[in-house]
Amino acid sequence: MTSRAALLFDLDGTLVDSDARHLAAFQRVFASYGIVVDQTTYERDIHGASNEAIGRVFLSHLTPEQRRGVLDDKEAAYRSDLIDIAPVAGAVALIDFAGRRGMKRAVVTNGPRANAEKVLAALGLELRLPIVVIGSELPRSKPDPLPYLNGLELTGALASRSIAFEDSPSGVRAAAAAGLAVVGLTTTLDAAALTRAGATIATNDFTDPRIFALIEERIRTNCSEGARI
């Protein structure tokens, strides 16, 4: 029954190759606090992490309220730099393919809702992806599986028939822990890092025929279990 299958997409670095813009925003905002963020630091301590976790690592000398203010400034800087963004190759075709197969589609992100709404609108995907799960609005965000479990609940899908798309090890681990097959996008990290984290396959973009083969395999799964919620 195809309606019990879903595709769940991380947003930044997955549907849109946005990590360079996030890095630039962190560099601009953190510089006034004497904090230097290079590519290595970004990949090690920021990539895939929630703002709460980032604040604990870089802004431990500030109060929680002050940390939120600094990170809100960073997100505003990022949102101001969304001109001419485009979906990762093949994303729109894959989302439409899933729709024709009767599959639900959702976004599951650690980013704030304001970012998700603006990015999806800029990509022209807000109507194709109306279900948006925000990790910071839940008791636990990625790398906890809760955001993906919430996505399964909202779509009414079975984990055993569904697939997540992620670009960070923390996101891959969250999706795998929720029982999903995971496609890793190599927009920032290499395939080996994503497969070590638990990705079923790793690929450059959404045109990879292995993705469509994996979808067919998942939606044909004869699963008697209920959706994981």
Side-chain angles (χ1 to χ4, degrees):
M1 181 176 173
T2 307
S3 62
R4 304 303 301 277
L7 301 185
L8 306 177
F9 298 90
D10 176 52
L11 186 54
D12 289 304
T14 301
L15 284 175
V16 59
D17 190 357
S18 55
D19 282 313
R21 296 173 196 251
H22 276 290
L23 173 57
F26 275 112
Q27 289 172 329
R28 290 198 300 273
V29 173
F30 278 16
S32 62
Y33 294 86
I35 300 169
V36 176
V37 180
D38 59 16
Q39 184 68 38
T40 299
T41 302
Y42 178 85
E43 291 178 8
R44 184 187 64 230
D45 298 323
I46 294 176
H47 183 223
S50 66
N51 274 355
E52 182 180 2
I54 294 166
R56 289 196 299 268
V57 171
F58 292 95
L59 304 169
S60 60
H61 58 293
L62 301 180
T63 67
E65 184 178 356
Q66 289 171 327
R67 293 177 202 171
R68 285 191 292 271
V70 173
L71 291 165
D72 285 347
D73 290 343
K74 177 267 160 182
E75 300 300 353
Y78 168 69
R79 288 193 296 272
S80 71
D81 189 28
L82 294 178
I83 299 172
D84 298 329
I85 64 170
V88 168
V92 175
L94 177 62
I95 292 166
D96 288 346
F97 167 81
R100 291 193 298 272
R101 294 304 307 270
M103 302 177 75
K104 298 289 188 179
R105 291 89 67 207
V107 169
V108 180
T109 177
N110 268 354
R113 187 168 293 277
N115 285 21
E117 290 175 348
K118 187 160 186 179
V119 170
L120 290 172
L123 296 175
L125 295 177
E126 68 271 38
L127 297 181
R128 287 180 169 93
L129 295 167
I131 298 172
V132 179
V133 177
I134 304 297
S136 62
E137 296 176 358
L138 299 172
R140 299 177 304 280
S141 56
K142 305 174 199 175
D144 193 276
L146 182 60
Y148 276 107
L149 295 173
N150 186 246
L152 289 169
E153 181 178 11
L154 291 174
T155 57
L158 296 168
S160 62
R161 294 190 177 186
S162 301
I163 301 171
F165 297 83
E166 276 283 354
D167 73 306
S168 70
S170 62
V172 170
R173 288 192 290 269
L180 293 151
V182 189
V183 174
L185 274 293
T186 58
T187 50
T188 301
L189 303 179
D190 61 24
L194 295 169
T195 53
R196 280 196 302 270
T200 309
I201 59 175
T203 185
N204 294 332
D205 58 40
F206 295 98
T207 64
D208 192 324
R210 293 179 299 166
I211 295 174
F212 295 87
L214 182 60
I215 289 172
E216 295 297 339
E217 174 188 323
R218 297 294 276 188
I219 64 179
R220 288 173 182 160
T221 298
N222 183 15
C223 180
S224 60
E225 296 178 0
R228 298 182 60 177
I229 58 174

